[in-house]
Structures are given as C-alpha cells and as structure tokens.
Amino acid sequence: MTVLFKDVLVYHPDGITGPVDVLVSGQRIASIGSVTARPADQVVEGRSHHLLVPGLVNAHFHSPANHLKGSLPSMPLEMFMLYESPDDESLRPSPREAYLRTMLAATEMLRNGTTSVQDDAFLMPSPEPDIIDAVMLAYRDCGIRATVALDQPELAETDKLPFLEGRRDPALHRPAPMGAKDLLERYDYLFSKWHGAAAGRLNAAVSISAPQRVSPEYFAALDELSRTHQVPLYAHMLETKVQRVLSSEQARFAGRSLVRYSADLGLLNERTNVIHAVWVDDLDLDLIAEAGAVVVHNPVSNLRLGSGIMPFRAARRRGIPIALGVDEAICNDRADMWDVVRMAGLIHNITGPDDEWPSAGEVLESLWSGGAAAMLRSQDLGRVQVGALADLALLDLHSPAFTPLNDVFGQLVYCESGSSVVLTMVDGAVVARDGRLTAVDEDALLDEARELFSAKAAERDAARRGADRLLPVYAEVVRRSAAVDVGLDRWARRR
Ligand SMILES: [Zn+2]
C-alpha cells in the first residue's frame, strides 16, 4: 500500500522544510520531494499547513496500571508501590482484563501521535502465557509499535529496601511470586511467540525491574538474552533517595550506587535503559556515558511521586542520550507524551541558573532521537527521512497551538497538547485519524472496560486495605532515608 502526503511541512532537527510531498510505500518512507499521485495512492492533503513529525516515542511505560489512573494520592514511590500492584491473588487479571487495560492507554497514545511504546509490563502476580498473549494481542490489534518486557522482581522486600532488618512481618520476607527459572521460561515464551511479530512491529525486550530487585545471576541471564536478541534491557536505577541510601545499607552493594554495582557486574552497556537516573552522582553519569547506555527521563512521574529532578544538563554534557517516558497511568496519570515533553521543557528551569535549562530543540531531540536510541532503533526510527520506518504524526498547524506560527520547536514543546494531531501512522498504516482509531471500536472498548473494572473495584480496594497494615513500615523507610546525607540533593526545596 502507498500513502502520499501532499504539500506537507516536514520536521527536521534543524528546522522545518516544505511544503513537499512524502510518499510512504509499505512500511517505509519511499521519497520526499515532488511526487505525482498515482491512482493507487491514498492521498492525504497537507494544504501547506500540516506538519509531518516523527511518531512520538514513549520510552518507558507500565501498561498493567492503565485502568488505575487517578486512583492513588501522591506519595513516595516506596509507599506508592504497596498499593500500585499488590501480588494479591484476587487481583490476578483475566486475559480479557489484560487486553482491555492494555488497549486503554494504547488508544490514548495513538490518538495523540505516539507510535512507539516500551512497555515494562509487571504482570502480577505472575506472567502467565495467556496474559502475555492478551497484552501482545491488544498491541497487535490497535496498530502501535510495542516492545514489551516482563518487569518481575525476583527478591523479597527486605532485599529491596534499606532499614527493614529486624522487621518480622512475613510479608517482608516472602520470596517474589515467581523465581528466576520460571521467569526465564516465560521469557522463552515471549520471545518465541512474539519477538518480531506483526511484521516486526511487536518485539520483546528484557527487564530486571531494578538491580536491587533481582539476583546478579538473573540480571546476567537477562543481559545475555538482551545481547543474543540485541534488544533493550530495562532497569530502574536511582529513582528515589531511598535507592541511593540502599547502597550504604546493604552489604552486597558495599557502598556502591546501583549504577556502579551494575557496572562492576559488567552489566551496564549500550543496551541498558537506565530508567529515571534521578539520584545519580557524577561517577554514575560517567559510567553511564562510558557504557553508552540511554537514560529514560520521566518528569511527570517523578513529580507525582516526589522522586526529585533528574540532572538533565549533567547527562547532556556527557553526551548521554536521554529518552522520555510516561512511566505509568497510575503515577502520571495520562498516557500523553506531549504532556511529558512540556514538563521536560519546564521542570529543569527550577534547578539552577539558565545554563541548566533545556532548549526546546534538546527536548525534541530527547523525544525522537533519544526514544529511538532507547529502542536500539536509531537507524530507522525517530526521523522523517527516506528509508526510515513510516511512524509518523500529522499535525494541523491551523490550530490554536500553532497560530500564529512563531517558532515551531517552541510551539511543539510548550503549546501542543495533542489536539493538533489529525493522523497517526505506524509502519506505513494509518492507525488513527481525526482523533479516532481506525481499527478499534473505541466506544465499545470504553463501555466494556468501564463495566469490567467497576466490577473489580471492591477487590482492588480490599487489596489496598490489606496493604495499609504495612504503610507505617514503608513510611519509616522513606523518612529515615530522607534524613541521610548522601552528598547530593535532587529535591528543589526551600531553605
Ligand atoms: Zn517505571
């Protein structure tokens, strides 16, 4: 199939060009210039006021919380996680539930021009094949490009957090619901059935969740899997101050940060997505730069959970690629990359003098080049270029956000909310047009999701009440960690 974008402006990191014609043939951009429409071409008229940009990349996401948006008050990550995904048997999803919740955010993303998502899917209590299938089928059906990993902890709570020694509560000592051997079998299933599916649009990745949540052996096995398949390894690192403090509180880290610990294991490399990197120090950033790893910045989530502000400028100065992510619908609470872009463009302005502040161009580079780098797809994603995959969003500049057109970079970062997006294309196929998905009955989806998740609300609330018991313990972990001097600060506090 061929699609011809006629008389469109085209985004380029150096500015916009056009109006020109952009021909998409199959999955890729075939030509950019003056193209005469052939009868078989599906023509999209740009009328010289539509801008073609690369599809947005959501480089970090957890789909299993898609149905929980807005349901928790803001609280520190360690307390939040008690309620986010209790490994409670009563909350085990049905395949239909997993399908619907995946679809909820996928539709939101596609409507707004997000064409790629890296889903670090925690499938609690355990990632069973029918649930893996349900997630992947949702991504297959809606048309988004998805790379999915199984974000499953392997160790007990006492291993993951400081200041829990001496606590007797069995819940803190219970092993994770599934051990390394079974998890690796689930990865076999994920890779054999879904890696490269839908003509390469669906892929597998691997996830350790975080270095403190797994054994070095499981970490190494996943890194080996990522090397074999050349796929990203997702690792939350130094998201919170508690995680910084952990290094001096647990013998296995011997005073080393989680980044340094990973590097010392030989497990920090160009395939690693270092997610968050808020409480990193200079040595951590040097190690990340040396390894060629990518940092995934999630500014809205970091604000919602009060995690702190990632040192954007210090990372940029070292040439570290930075990608952007939503994180998840329960701590964002939107699957909206425009909102993340705007926040990335603003939040660093309160961290110091203006040499710390990102330019609009740097934010867009993070969104597109950084996102492609995180996916290990720099060669064919994140750009509107002949030969690149046709993952595109078409924005109507005849809209409040772009009228008058003063500075397209500034307006993309600070003005656009997704409401100017009139068409989204993934892999050469039009998947959303005029705010509606082409392959999904969104009304039926919303009706079914509303009914199904309302019916589960009582179980969710009961599981959360069960978690209340442990809240004082976790609050104490956060309070004690906050009081430790770690030699750096990532909170913008008043003095
Ligand atoms: Zn995350």
Side-chain angles (χ1 to χ4, degrees):
M1 193 177 85
T2 52
V3 178
L4 179 62
F5 294 93
K6 198 81 189 137
D7 291 323
V8 289
L9 303 169
V10 172
Y11 172 89
H12 186 271
D14 299 326
I16 55 174
T17 57
V20 292
D21 307 327
V22 176
L23 181 70
V24 171
S25 179
Q27 296 167 291
R28 293 183 185 267
I29 297 171
S31 64
I32 300 176
S34 180
V35 181
T36 306
R38 296 166 305 177
D41 294 341
Q42 182 189 337
V43 178
V44 178
E45 294 290 350
R47 297 184 193 88
S48 303
H49 63 79
H50 286 71
L51 173 67
L52 206 54
V53 302
L56 283 62
V57 178
N58 180 3
H60 181 56
F61 193 59
H62 304 279
S63 69
N66 285 350
H67 58 304
L68 297 170
K69 49 187 163 284
S71 68
L72 285 177
S74 294
M75 58 181 125
L77 175 81
E78 291 74 17
M79 293 151 68
F80 160 87
M81 283 180 76
L82 266 181
Y83 299 98
E84 173 203 32
S85 57
D87 57 0
D88 194 304
E89 197 53 45
S90 71
L91 296 183
R92 186 182 285 280
S94 66
R96 188 64 187 166
E97 193 180 332
Y99 180 91
L100 287 171
R101 73 185 184 193
T102 308
M103 200 65 115
L104 279 176
T107 56
E108 188 179 351
M109 288 189 269
L110 285 172
R111 271 194 228 159
N112 287 332
T114 295
T115 53
S116 287
V117 60
Q118 296 208 103
D119 188 356
D120 196 16
F122 49 80
L123 300 176
M124 304 304 282
S126 57
E128 301 306 333
D130 58 349
I131 302 302
I132 293 172
D133 286 348
V135 171
M136 301 309 287
L137 285 168
Y139 287 137
R140 184 199 67 183
D141 292 352
C142 68
I144 202 167
R145 184 178 306 282
T147 300
V148 180
L150 309 175
D151 173 0
Q152 313 294 143
E154 187 214 2
L155 301 180
E157 291 296 283
T158 43
D159 294 311
K160 299 187 238 169
L161 294 164
F163 307 127
L164 289 182
E165 69 280 0
R167 295 275 185 186
R168 295 238 171 94
D169 195 305
L172 301 173
H173 298 270
R174 203 169 50 214
M178 195 171 263
K181 183 173 165 292
D182 290 333
L183 288 173
L184 289 169
E185 277 176 19
R186 296 301 188 274
Y187 268 110
D188 276 348
Y189 181 82
L190 175 67
F191 273 91
S192 61
K193 182 154 183 189
W194 291 105
H195 189 51
R201 182 165 56 77
L202 304 181
N203 283 293
V206 299
S207 171
I208 59 161
S209 189
Q212 74 276 20
R213 298 176 191 150
V214 294
S215 63
E217 294 75 23
Y218 183 54
F219 192 166
L222 288 181
D223 183 66
E224 178 60 20
L225 205 50
S226 97
R227 193 188 60 75
T228 304
H229 294 282
Q230 288 299 303
V231 296
L233 180 145
Y234 305 150
H236 296 74
M237 291 200 203
L238 297 171
E239 177 175 358
T240 64
K241 189 170 181 195
V242 171
Q243 295 174 14
R244 179 97 224 161
V245 168
L246 186 66
S247 55
S248 54
E249 292 298 320
Q250 271 190 17
R252 64 178 163 147
F253 300 118
R256 297 166 299 174
S257 76
L258 295 170
V259 171
R260 196 172 146 209
Y261 165 77
S262 303
D264 284 356
L265 289 173
L267 299 173
L268 184 70
N269 53 52
E270 72 288 352
R271 299 181 308 279
T272 316
N273 279 200
V274 179
I275 302 160
H276 297 298
V278 173
W279 290 83
V280 287
D281 62 14
D282 285 348
L283 174 61
D284 296 326
L285 288 169
D286 289 344
L287 290 169
I288 292 168
E290 207 175 291
V294 177
V295 163
V296 186
H297 179 31
N298 304 274
V300 178
S301 162
N302 293 158
L303 271 179
R304 180 79 152 88
L305 302 179
S307 302
I309 305 173
M310 170 270 205
F312 187 94
R313 179 60 56 210
R316 284 279 305 186
R317 239 181 249 127
R318 288 168 172 81
I320 297 170
I322 300 170
L324 301 177
V326 161
D327 204 357
E328 65 179 323
I330 191 176
C331 66
N332 184 297
D333 297 38
R334 292 151 56 172
D336 177 1
M337 284 306 296
W338 295 106
D339 185 46
V340 172
V341 163
R342 182 174 148 86
M343 188 57 70
L346 293 173
I347 188 67
H348 303 284
N349 299 4
I350 60 166
T351 60
D354 60 356
D355 56 355
E356 295 285 324
W357 305 359
S359 68
E362 286 178 310
V363 175
L364 295 175
E365 187 183 328
S366 299
L367 171 66
W368 285 313
S369 304
M375 296 180 73
L376 308 184
R377 300 295 295 265
S378 291
Q379 74 286 2
D380 57 6
L381 276 182
R383 60 186 70 193
V384 185
Q385 189 176 294
V386 173
L389 284 165
D391 284 17
L392 302 164
L394 188 68
L395 279 65
D396 186 355
L397 304 188
H398 181 62
S399 61
F402 293 97
T403 305
L405 188 60
N406 298 313
D407 177 86
V408 75
F409 288 9
Q411 282 163 286
L412 283 166
V413 173
Y414 302 117
C415 308
E416 173 57 2
S417 63
S419 60
S420 308
V421 176
V422 292
L423 182 148
T424 306
M425 170 176 274
V426 181
D427 230 16
V430 176
V431 291
R433 192 146 196 186
D434 300 323
R436 305 293 287 182
L437 267 68
T438 56
V440 177
D441 181 343
E442 291 182 67
D443 287 332
L445 176 86
L446 294 176
D447 283 341
E448 188 183 354
R450 189 180 306 112
E451 199 170 311
L452 190 148
F453 292 115
S454 300
K456 299 271 295 192
E459 281 155 343
R460 181 198 71 193
D461 293 345
R464 286 183 174 175
R465 280 194 298 278
D468 282 343
R469 184 176 56 81
L470 285 170
L471 186 62
V473 176
Y474 284 68
E476 174 77 0
V477 167
V478 171
R479 191 191 60 76
R480 287 182 67 179
S481 299
V484 176
D485 181 355
V486 295
L488 56 92
D489 199 350
R490 297 289 179 239
W491 285 313
R493 21 178 152 202
R494 292 200 183 92
R495 293 187 191 279

